[in-house]
Amino acid sequence: MPQPAEIEANPELAPGKRTNYRWVVMTLIFIVWVIACADRANLGVALPFMRKEFGISNTEAGAIVSLFAFSYAIVQIPAGLFYKRISAKTAEWIFPLFMFLVSACTGLMGTTSSTFLLKLYRVGLGVAEGPMGIGCTNIINRWFPAKEKGTTMGLWNTASKLGAVIAPPVCVVIAEAFGWRQIFYLFAFPGIVLAVAWYFMVKISPSDSKFCSPAEVAYIQSEQIPDGPVPAKGTQPSSVRKHRDFGWLDKLNRTKKVVPLSTVGQVFRSWNVFANAIAYGCMIGISNTFMLWIPTYLMTVKGFTSMKMGFLASAPFVGAVIGNTLGGWVSDRMMDKRRKPTMLVGALCTIIMMVALLYAPNNAFYLGMMLMLSGLLLGFGYAGFTVYPMGLATKEAYPLAFAIVNTGGQLGGACAPLVVGIILDAYSWNAVFIYLALSAVLCFMLISSIDEPIMDAAPEKTAA
């Protein structure tokens, strides 16, 4: 009978058939996050209709849009500390409770009779949805081995973009047929159903799930998988898989062996965490601008009908779906779990595309292709920002590290739409695209400054 240490080193020695229930959990996470992100994206399509009804200026529209991200950002660190301290049993019912509250706030936006109430419900949506991102990534971190985390985080980020793909055309059809208020009523319903499904199907730890076999638990808990043939039963593997050496690229990439951050103080003193957070804010700012302002751009600047706008507004996020998945796969498989290369390539290509949008064509097909390519290149490095803290921190400290990164991301995402509204009241859309290009430049510089962590058998340096 193999010993626990042998099973952890070589999951193939675990008794029984290995299930794949972690992918069922990932499927549910994917659907939950698609719906959650559709709930935040639907305002972008409803906003032109709401501006006519309530007489909202560009600056006030930017403020309404940004309130979600500000409130989302404010709760990140408290939520990270909360998840670090609560028991697994508490976490299992807290997460679906937040899902229910997100649906409630979404539905309430359809009842609004003033801009004040709209702002209030938007803040409520951000506060309710804020802990959900940490909850999803915490489950991914606990349910998947290291070699699958880039792919799964790519899928999670893909879900956020898929929500933005689905929302515009669906919202336009609903608004044209029934009015803009019905958008929020119909989008509120799926979250309630998913909250019930989550409560019964997902445990915080795979070892607590009756659907997850011991062999799958052993596979999940093995952070390093041996290369080559499986050793004979009852024997230790001859070696543990090492990261491939990329030579000059590793030097350029600042690749280093690290000891994981394990305490609150270590996390808060980490330049790697905070630089990644600010860079993530730059990229979310660009993404949120596309999500919440592109519909207005397409109708007011390019003169498209609301129906055509609905499909064109989805184009960047169709590209982002492809980019997120491709970037996660490249990071895991081709770059051997290195996260910085895809982040840097994504930022560099985004700079180029933002400059190209200064010369955006009026033809719907060519503009749609340009928007889709912009989304693909933006999304290529997106997964890296959220999976990067997994390589810096222990599983217990990860929620806090991710909370800091997500706080920076959401603050950037909150500021950008507001800044865009102010720019549009004073200048033009060309100034907006220059601002977005400069955001991508800042992102590239920050990511260049951080370390690429490798956790090896004999760590040499503590993550800074």
Side-chain angles (χ1 to χ4, degrees), residues 19-41:
T19 56
N20 288 297
Y21 190 71
R22 67 193 184 283
W23 292 108
V24 175
V25 172
M26 187 65 227
T27 300
L28 186 57
I29 290 172
F30 187 89
I31 296 170
V32 164
W33 205 239
V34 167
I35 298 301
C37 292
D39 285 343
R40 68 173 79 167

Side-chain angles (χ1 to χ4, degrees), residues 333-362:
R333 306 298 179 181
M334 295 182 65
M335 301 309 301
D336 199 27
K337 300 194 285 291
R338 288 162 176 81
R339 312 306 179 187
K340 281 182 59 179
T342 55
M343 296 154 76
L344 288 168
V345 169
L348 181 61
C349 292
T350 299
I351 296 168
I352 296 169
M353 291 309 302
M354 292 306 101
V355 173
L357 282 170
L358 291 168
Y359 310 98
N362 291 320

Side-chain angles (χ1 to χ4, degrees), residues 30-43 45 155-171 187 291 310 313-314 317-318 320-321 324:
F30 187 89
I31 296 170
V32 164
W33 205 239
V34 167
I35 298 301
C37 292
D39 285 343
R40 68 173 79 167
N42 52 27
L43 181 65
V45 176
L155 288 171
W156 182 67
N157 281 291
T158 295
S160 68
K161 303 305 179 292
L162 189 59
V165 169
I166 293 170
V170 173
C171 289
F187 271 65
M291 183 188 299
S314 295
F317 301 100
V318 172
V321 166
N324 285 163

Side-chain angles (χ1 to χ4, degrees), residues 11 51 90 111 115 143 154 197 247 250 266-267 292 312 375 383 405 436 445:
R51 289 181 66 185
T90 302
T111 69
T115 55
W143 273 80
D250 274 338
Q266 287 176 342
V267 173
L292 298 162
L312 284 174
V405 171
L436 296 179
M445 293 171 63

Side-chain angles (χ1 to χ4, degrees), residues 184-264:
F184 300 105
Y185 299 149
L186 292 175
F187 271 65
F189 178 72
I192 298 171
V193 177
L194 289 168
V196 176
W198 183 281
Y199 180 78
F200 289 104
M201 293 177 66
V202 180
K203 300 293 183 184
I204 294 299
S205 173
S207 59
D208 293 333
S209 174
K210 63 182 179 181
F211 304 110
C212 190
S213 70
E216 185 177 9
V217 172
Y219 174 76
I220 291 168
Q221 292 175 348
S222 61
E223 290 296 324
Q224 295 173 319
I225 307 301
D227 282 332
V230 176
K233 186 173 181 179
T235 64
Q236 288 278 16
S238 58
S239 63
V240 175
R241 188 180 75 81
K242 300 291 185 181
H243 287 270
R244 287 183 311 201
D245 183 2
F246 283 82
W248 64 269
L249 179 59
D250 274 338
K251 292 181 180 178
L252 190 64
N253 198 45
R254 296 172 58 94
T255 304
K256 299 176 181 178
K257 295 178 183 178
V258 301
V259 173
L261 305 169
S262 59
T263 68
V264 172

Side-chain angles (χ1 to χ4, degrees), residues 36-119:
C37 292
D39 285 343
R40 68 173 79 167
N42 52 27
L43 181 65
V45 176
L47 197 56
F49 302 98
M50 299 168 84
R51 289 181 66 185
K52 288 182 181 179
E53 183 169 331
F54 296 114
I56 301 171
S57 68
N58 284 323
T59 300
E60 189 174 15
I64 292 169
V65 165
S66 295
L67 279 172
F68 166 84
F70 276 123
S71 56
Y72 187 104
I74 288 169
V75 302
Q76 288 304 294
I77 292 177
L81 290 168
F82 178 70
Y83 271 108
K84 190 175 186 299
R85 297 179 189 281
I86 63 174
S87 67
K89 288 293 182 184
T90 302
E92 284 165 9
W93 64 263
I94 282 290
F95 187 88
L97 174 62
F98 284 122
M99 292 171 64
F100 177 81
L101 292 174
V102 165
S103 292
C105 290
T106 299
L108 284 170
M109 283 196 287
T111 69
T112 187
S113 57
S114 67
T115 55
F116 172 77
L117 286 175
L118 179 60
K119 292 172 184 176

Side-chain angles (χ1 to χ4, degrees), residues 136-440:
C136 286
T137 57
N138 188 37
I139 292 292
I140 291 172
N141 196 34
R142 291 174 180 273
W143 273 80
F144 288 88
K147 73 172 189 175
E148 293 177 351
K149 287 177 181 176
T151 302
T152 49
M153 288 302 289
L155 288 171
W156 182 67
N157 281 291
T158 295
S160 68
K161 303 305 179 292
L162 189 59
V165 169
I166 293 170
V170 173
C171 289
V172 165
V173 170
I174 295 171
E176 293 288 344
F178 306 108
W180 65 264
R181 294 180 185 275
Q182 278 64 34
I183 291 173
F184 300 105
Y185 299 149
L186 292 175
F187 271 65
F189 178 72
I192 298 171
V193 177
L194 289 168
V196 176
W198 183 281
Y199 180 78
F200 289 104
M201 293 177 66
V202 180
K203 300 293 183 184
I204 294 299
S205 173
S207 59
D208 293 333
S209 174
K210 63 182 179 181
F211 304 110
C212 190
S213 70
E216 185 177 9
V217 172
Y219 174 76
I220 291 168
Q221 292 175 348
S222 61
E223 290 296 324
Q224 295 173 319
I225 307 301
D227 282 332
V230 176
K233 186 173 181 179
T235 64
Q236 288 278 16
S238 58
S239 63
V240 175
R241 188 180 75 81
K242 300 291 185 181
H243 287 270
R244 287 183 311 201
D245 183 2
F246 283 82
W248 64 269
L249 179 59
D250 274 338
K251 292 181 180 178
L252 190 64
N253 198 45
R254 296 172 58 94
T255 304
K256 299 176 181 178
K257 295 178 183 178
V258 301
V259 173
L261 305 169
S262 59
T263 68
V264 172
Q266 287 176 342
V267 173
F268 273 105
R269 290 193 298 269
S270 173
W271 167 250
N272 291 330
V273 171
F274 278 92
N276 184 49
I278 299 168
Y280 190 38
C282 295
M283 300 308 270
I284 289 191
I286 297 170
S287 178
N288 282 4
T289 298
F290 271 65
M291 183 188 299
L292 298 162
W293 275 110
I294 285 296
T296 300
Y297 167 75
L298 293 170
M299 293 182 72
T300 60
V301 177
K302 296 301 183 182
F304 293 120
T305 63
S306 60
M307 191 64 69
K308 190 172 287 187
M309 172 273 287
F311 287 97
L312 284 174
S314 295
F317 301 100
V318 172
V321 166
I322 300 169
N324 285 163
T325 306
L326 179 62
W329 183 85
V330 168
S331 176
D332 271 352
R333 306 298 179 181
M334 295 182 65
M335 301 309 301
D336 199 27
K337 300 194 285 291
R338 288 162 176 81
R339 312 306 179 187
K340 281 182 59 179
T342 55
M343 296 154 76
L344 288 168
V345 169
L348 181 61
C349 292
T350 299
I351 296 168
I352 296 169
M353 291 309 302
M354 292 306 101
V355 173
L357 282 170
L358 291 168
Y359 310 98
N362 291 320
N363 178 276
F365 175 78
Y366 292 116
L367 178 58
M369 293 301 295
M370 179 175 281
L371 290 172
M372 186 168 70
L373 182 60
S374 298
L376 188 154
L377 296 172
L378 174 67
F380 184 74
Y382 218 86
F385 294 95
T386 46
V387 77
Y388 178 78
M390 292 180 179
L392 288 175
T394 62
K395 282 183 170 64
E396 291 73 23
Y398 169 74
L400 178 58
F402 176 79
I404 293 172
V405 171
N406 213 21
T407 297
Q410 297 307 320
L411 286 174
C415 291
L418 179 58
V419 171
V420 167
I422 295 170
I423 290 172
L424 288 175
D425 278 341
Y427 302 102
S428 68
W429 272 94
N430 281 351
V432 169
F433 292 126
I434 292 171
Y435 160 68
L436 296 179
L438 292 174
S439 295

